Amino acid sequence: MSAPPAPRSPAAETTPAPRAEQTSMATASPGVKHAAPTSPLADPAGRSGDSGGAGRPALDWRLRFAALSLIWGFSFLLIKVGTDGYAPFQVTLGRLLSGTAVLGVAMAVKRERLPRTARTWGHLAVAAFFLNALPFSLFAYAELTIPSTLAGICNATSPLWGMALSLVALSEDRPTRRRVAGLGLGFLGVLTVLGAWQGFSGLDFSGTAMALLASLSYPIGWIYVRRTLAGTGSSVLSLTGSQLFLGTVQIALVTPLFTSAPDGFPLWPTLAVVALGALGTGLAVLLQYGLVAEVGPTTAQMVTYFIPVIATAAGVAVLGEQLSWNTPVGALVVLAGAALTQSRPRAAEVPAPLEPAPGRRLRKPS
């Protein structure tokens, strides 16, 4: 992912939860959303073109949850390897092409119909920019100068940005003391990761800023999707596949303006880019919405909290990246803050509607 995801992931807002990517609407993560990288478009259980009568999936949801966590956690390592052989825009283009191909096959198998109205396609183009083209490109450019571990931790700030933005843009998301405390705690964790008490010494400002902007882009996209694409009549798979296609077109138009054709196709960077798209942007979306349909958005979005842990472990173990004490400590603080921003009041805290006793009617106020 970079999924993706996330303030509640896309499916958490209408069921959305997953974005995540986090990434297509649901990738957030890397992206969530989605959450980070995440789409409030339709109930995953009510996909059009689905037979709906199938039994439980053959693979236990816990295994699929673990697979999704690993896929999105390793996405930042794959971005790093990809940029060793290709320009950032080329990495993004290859990622989107591979992801779109996977979802295109899934749509063909399920006989999904594409959205029909120009209005829907216009909204999907905006969503593709904020949830795919922009964050994917920013993360690729960021990892030219910052380690993949830091990029993965920056991605975990998406729920914090999402909570802050939702208080302004979504009237139904009212602040609570716990969520405001989580927001403050999360950004304290960001300062810890960045080593604020050391004057941010040794920190690459441009790369870190791009990674944080990428994380901010996801909740902007989630909020836009929630406001414009709910109730379109199209399935989540159809909307997400169409969104990825539009993101691919956007990057395909921009890439020739900023890069030249690659001199060759080095093996490991090429495999990394293909895996990043096919797994982190294609398969991950299918896994995410399957989890939401089976175990619900609350459980499915918990994948967000595993992504930075796996990204850090992968960067250190595979790429040999250096890790100072403040990075994992700050990451844990960020995750704790993100968890608080996603908390909701218990049902017991909500007063029950007043009902008359059996055989009696409430007297109307005079």
Side-chain angles (χ1 to χ4, degrees):
M1 162 181 165
S2 354
R8 296 196 182 273
S9 97
E13 299 294 358
T14 68
T15 47
R19 216 231 15 149
E21 156 97 325
Q22 328 205 202
T23 0
S24 76
M25 285 174 226
T27 49
S29 244
V32 271
K33 15 256 333 267
H34 282 62
T38 179
S39 104
L41 303 175
D43 184 340
R47 299 177 292 275
S48 69
D50 234 346
S51 62
R56 296 176 64 84
L59 195 61
D60 185 80
W61 73 266
R62 296 170 187 83
L63 295 177
R64 286 179 282 128
F65 183 96
L68 183 59
S69 301
L70 287 171
I71 288 171
W72 274 343
F74 270 84
S75 291
F76 299 96
L77 180 150
L78 294 175
I79 292 171
K80 192 72 167 179
V81 175
T83 54
D84 285 342
Y86 297 101
F89 274 130
Q90 292 169 344
V91 171
T92 302
L93 179 59
R95 174 182 187 173
L96 284 169
L97 280 171
S98 301
T100 301
V102 170
L103 290 190
V105 171
M107 290 173 63
V109 170
K110 291 180 175 289
R111 298 182 180 180
E112 295 281 358
R113 294 182 178 180
L114 294 173
R116 296 185 177 183
T117 68
R119 180 185 180 88
T120 299
W121 281 99
H123 288 316
L124 285 172
V126 177
F129 176 76
F130 284 109
L131 291 171
N132 304 118
L134 180 61
F136 290 1
S137 300
L138 285 173
F139 272 122
Y141 270 102
E143 291 199 42
L144 292 177
T145 56
I146 67 173
S148 64
T149 53
L150 179 56
I153 292 170
C154 287
N155 182 73
T157 64
S158 279
L160 306 177
W161 296 118
M163 186 265 185
L165 290 172
S166 67
L167 297 181
V168 177
L170 299 173
S171 59
E172 65 269 29
D173 265 341
R174 298 181 179 179
T176 63
R177 292 181 180 178
R178 178 180 297 182
R179 299 181 72 195
V180 172
L183 185 63
L185 182 63
F187 283 111
L188 178 61
V190 172
L191 294 176
T192 303
V193 170
L194 302 182
W197 66 93
Q198 299 172 337
F200 304 102
S201 61
L203 182 71
D204 184 84
F205 282 98
S206 61
T208 305
M210 284 189 285
L212 290 172
L213 284 174
S215 303
L216 171 61
S217 181
Y218 287 126
I220 292 175
W222 292 327
I223 290 173
Y224 181 84
V225 164
R226 180 173 174 179
R227 283 178 167 269
T228 61
L229 285 171
T232 61
S234 297
S235 71
V236 172
L237 178 58
S238 174
L239 290 169
T240 305
S242 301
Q243 175 191 306
L244 275 185
F245 169 75
L246 291 173
T248 305
V249 171
Q250 291 170 3
I251 293 298
L253 293 174
V254 171
T255 299
L257 302 178
F258 294 92
T259 64
S260 56
D263 296 330
F265 298 93
L267 178 61
W268 289 113
T270 301
L271 291 177
V273 171
V274 172
L276 180 64
L279 300 179
T281 308
L283 178 61
V285 172
L286 303 178
L287 288 173
Q288 184 186 38
Y289 283 113
L291 287 171
V292 171
E294 182 174 350
V295 298
T298 301
T299 300
Q301 73 177 358
M302 292 298 293
V303 71
T304 302
Y305 306 112
F306 291 88
I307 294 173
V309 177
I310 295 172
T312 300
V316 172
V318 180
L319 299 179
E321 295 176 346
Q322 298 298 312
L323 194 66
S324 57
W325 69 267
N326 58 298
T327 301
V329 171
L332 290 175
V333 176
V334 168
L335 292 177
L340 285 176
T341 65
Q342 298 304 295
S343 63
R344 292 290 186 271
R346 296 180 180 179
E349 298 176 9
V350 180
L354 182 63
E355 294 183 2
R360 296 184 60 184
R361 295 184 179 181
L362 288 177
R363 185 178 300 175
K364 294 183 179 180
S366 55

